[in-house]
Structure formats: C-alpha cells, structure tokens
Amino acid sequence: MRQALLTVVVALPAALDRQLQQTSSVSNFAYGVLARLSMADEHTMRLSDLARDCDSTQPRLSKVMDRFEARDRVGRRPGPDDSRYTLATLTDTGRQKLAEAAPEHVAQVKRLVFDPLTAAQRRHLGTALTRIAATVRQELER
C-alpha cells in the first residue's frame, strides 16, 4: 500500500502536469491557481490565502503571478482596507485559459483516478481522502 500511495502522490501530479503542458501550455500548479481563483467570490483572493489554498509558498506563487500578469490572466492590487496584503483577480483572459484547459484536464483526471474504480470504491476513496486531508491540514497548521 505504501508504494501505491507514493506512486499516486508523486506520479499523478506529474501525469496531470504533462497532459496540461502538452494540451494547454500550462502547468498543473498554474491550472490549480487559476481554478482556485475562478471559485473565489468575484474571482478575487488575497495572495496569502491563495498560496495557502494551493499548498504553495509565497515566492512560488509570486513567480506564477508575475507570468500570469504579463499574459493578462490575473490582475493584482493592494487590499482596499489594508495595503499590507495584495489581492489577485482572475481576468477574462485567465477565465478563458482555464475554460480551454479544463475539458481535457477533467477527462484526464477521470481516466486516471475515477474510471479504474467501482462506484463503491469511489465512495470509499472520497471518505478516506477527506480524513487524510483533514489530518494533513492540521499538521501543516501547527
């Protein structure tokens, strides 16, 4: 079981990254950033919250934000109530890039993760992953 988990943890992101790079010229991490912004209220988040939600460091996220801003996929501005933080907003161009990448990415996730499982296995996987994620988040918050 340990080896299977290691394969999933390491190889699955690599396989998703390869597919996204080939079909959309975007990394798995960058796709995740765009997706998270797309789900936020008004497609806007504090960069510190975005980094946390994407399991990223501030410097790594900042590099991606620089590239996104240069391609007009996001805009950044100081927080209206507190200029010590920065807000990132997904632009129309960013939403379009996400919409272009999503169908093939979702199909790849479905093919690699969900198609090999029965309905019962999918339910059990969801329950198990929820518990593991909660434990990992608690550990990171310490």
Side-chain angles (χ1 to χ4, degrees):
M1 181 165 33
R2 181 182 177 277
Q3 188 59 43
L5 176 61
L6 186 59
T7 298
V8 170
V9 168
V10 173
L12 179 60
L16 295 175
D17 192 65
R18 182 174 54 208
Q19 176 268 318
L20 282 163
Q21 290 284 1
Q22 289 173 348
T23 61
S24 304
S25 300
V26 65
S27 71
N28 189 38
F29 176 71
Y31 178 89
V33 171
L34 292 174
R36 183 63 191 99
L37 278 171
S38 76
M39 293 182 277
D41 290 340
E42 298 181 29
H43 307 295
T44 300
M45 291 183 72
R46 284 185 181 196
L47 285 181
S48 57
D49 294 339
L50 183 59
R52 183 197 64 234
D53 288 0
C54 293
D55 297 317
S56 176
T57 62
Q58 288 278 12
R60 180 180 187 204
L61 182 63
S62 185
K63 288 179 185 178
V64 169
M65 288 290 118
D66 288 344
R67 287 194 300 274
F68 281 171
E69 206 165 29
R71 294 181 177 124
D72 189 39
R73 292 182 184 161
V74 299
R76 288 185 281 189
R77 67 182 189 282
D81 302 328
D82 185 348
S83 62
R84 292 177 293 176
Y85 67 85
T86 302
L87 294 174
T89 301
L90 188 64
T91 64
D92 290 341
T93 303
R95 282 192 292 278
Q96 180 180 345
K97 183 65 174 176
L98 184 62
E100 290 169 3
E104 289 186 54
H105 178 64
V106 169
Q108 179 77 332
V109 170
K110 183 180 180 297
R111 187 177 71 75
L112 294 175
V113 178
F114 299 107
D115 287 353
L117 304 176
T118 66
Q121 289 171 324
R122 286 191 294 272
R123 283 191 303 278
H124 291 299
L125 177 65
T127 301
L129 289 176
T130 299
R131 291 187 76 174
I132 293 167
T135 303
V136 170
R137 283 192 187 98
Q138 287 174 351
E139 179 68 23
L140 290 174
E141 290 172 0
R142 283 202 250 160

